Amino acid sequence: MTRYDPQRHHRRSIRLKEYDYTQPGAYFVTICAHGRAPLFGDVVDGEMRLNEMGEIVRAEWFKTVQLRPYVVLHEDEFVVMPNHIHGIIWIVDDVGATRRVAPTKTNPPAGPAPGSIGAIVGAFKSAVTRRINQRRGTPGVRVWQRNYYEHIIRHERALNAIRRYIAENPLRWHLDRYNPHATGTDPQAQEIWQMMKENARTVGRRAPTGGQS
């Protein structure tokens, strides 16, 4: 059985220093539960069955669009797994704007600027943590790992591969890198990470090693 090793599984931040994360575009986001604990439910016969905490996670994800009119989220681009989530966040110029992939830009705002992916993810994580801890009576207990992973989706090939990966994640849970009982490696996931590495090299940064959790 493969056990989670905090040192071996640690992944550095791969955020681009020259990139403005408030720009219109699509971003693939992965967030893991603290310690990768299976907080949100179970996969049964290839289907994810959310528990009450998993339902909170899902509700807060889609609540984002009510609070931030420049964000678009789609049902088929999000999944809650037992100990992590995957989703695509679209930042648009205005409500109803055409979805498009993200370019690069110089001179971004310092830190998690208002409206940035960092601000969006931070607010989501905080809202989920607050609601879950209120529900289970555990004030101050961490629900999420401190960091998260995001990838700028720059072309349709990557977008389609990531959509498929999200949709099929429960079916492939037995091969999932976040599953402590995985029986092997997932070639579909490896294809996506390789694509991300290639994207990273095209913009002159170090290639990711599978993302930041």
Side-chain angles (χ1 to χ4, degrees), residues 22-25 68-72 90-100:
T22 65
Q23 289 188 89
R68 300 173 185 270
Y70 51 86
V71 170
V72 175
W90 294 86
I91 295 181
V92 298
D93 291 309
D94 50 50
V95 179
T98 301
R99 299 190 293 172
R100 55 190 171 122

Side-chain angles (χ1 to χ4, degrees), residues 12-19 21 102 104 149-155 157-158 191-211:
R12 64 183 178 276
S13 173
I14 62 165
R15 291 168 180 76
L16 294 172
K17 293 181 179 179
E18 75 278 13
Y19 189 81
Y21 281 84
T104 55
Y149 172 88
E150 91 283 299
H151 170 74
I152 306 160
I153 303 175
R154 290 187 174 85
H155 52 73
R157 175 170 166 259
E191 177 186 355
I192 290 174
W193 302 135
Q194 182 60 38
M195 194 182 306
M196 293 179 183
K197 290 178 183 179
E198 292 171 359
N199 286 349
R201 284 194 290 269
T202 64
V203 294
R205 60 172 171 144
R206 291 187 300 175
T209 56

Side-chain angles (χ1 to χ4, degrees), residues 112-188:
S116 69
I117 289 295
I120 294 166
V121 171
F124 162 75
K125 290 171 68 176
S126 295
V128 169
T129 297
R130 181 173 59 255
R131 284 189 60 187
I132 285 178
N133 281 337
Q134 286 176 346
R135 184 67 185 87
R136 66 185 181 180
T138 55
V141 173
R142 292 178 63 181
V143 171
W144 302 107
Q145 288 190 355
R146 181 178 60 85
N147 295 313
Y148 66 96
Y149 172 88
E150 91 283 299
H151 170 74
I152 306 160
I153 303 175
R154 290 187 174 85
H155 52 73
E156 290 295 322
R157 175 170 166 259
L159 176 61
N160 291 333
I162 291 168
R163 281 174 171 164
R164 178 186 171 196
Y165 177 70
I166 289 173
E168 296 181 357
N169 215 206
L171 287 172
R172 307 173 78 86
W173 175 237
H174 63 292
L175 301 176
D176 199 296
R177 63 175 55 207
Y178 301 120
N179 182 353
H181 307 294
T183 59
T185 57
D186 187 350
Q188 187 180 108

Side-chain angles (χ1 to χ4, degrees), residues 4 27 33 41 111 189 202:
Y4 172 61
Y27 304 81
T202 64

